[in-house]
Amino acid sequence: MAKDHGSQIKDDALYEKLRDEGASKEKAARIANAKEAGTLAKGGTHLENRTREELYDEAKEIGIEGRSKMGKGELIDAIRDH
């Protein structure tokens, strides 16, 4: 049985699985909560459909260094690798 991580984590079992696989706490929480809410799109989040500005804002929110010098493709790679 999965440990209760509090109300901020909506799917404790998925959160623990992702953490065991090496995902950061933030990334595991985002994925677990999105899946529970039904907003996790199949096949990824379609980052290619977002503008560079939208990608930059997401990169800023998750703390990716050097984002201001990155192009759209680099931002997509950095977000996926985070």
Side-chain angles (χ1 to χ4, degrees):
M1 181 160 186
K3 177 183 170 190
D4 182 6
H5 295 282
S7 62
Q8 70 274 17
I9 305 297
K10 305 305 181 200
D11 185 334
D12 292 308
L14 179 57
Y15 175 82
E16 286 185 18
K17 178 182 178 277
L18 292 165
R19 291 290 291 144
D20 289 344
E21 293 173 355
S24 69
K25 289 179 181 180
E26 183 177 327
K27 182 175 182 177
R30 279 196 322 260
I31 293 170
N33 292 343
K35 182 157 179 17
E36 183 66 21
T39 59
L40 187 62
K42 291 183 181 178
T45 57
H46 304 289
L47 295 173
E48 292 80 8
N49 295 335
R50 297 183 189 177
T51 66
R52 185 200 174 276
E53 183 176 305
E54 290 170 328
L55 295 167
Y56 175 86
D57 290 342
E58 182 168 345
K60 183 178 181 181
E61 183 178 317
I62 60 180
I64 294 175
E65 298 287 325
R67 63 189 172 269
S68 64
K69 296 179 181 164
M70 293 181 185
K72 182 175 178 175
E74 293 169 310
L75 286 166
I76 290 170
D77 290 342
I79 291 167
R80 286 192 174 136
D81 291 342
H82 179 66

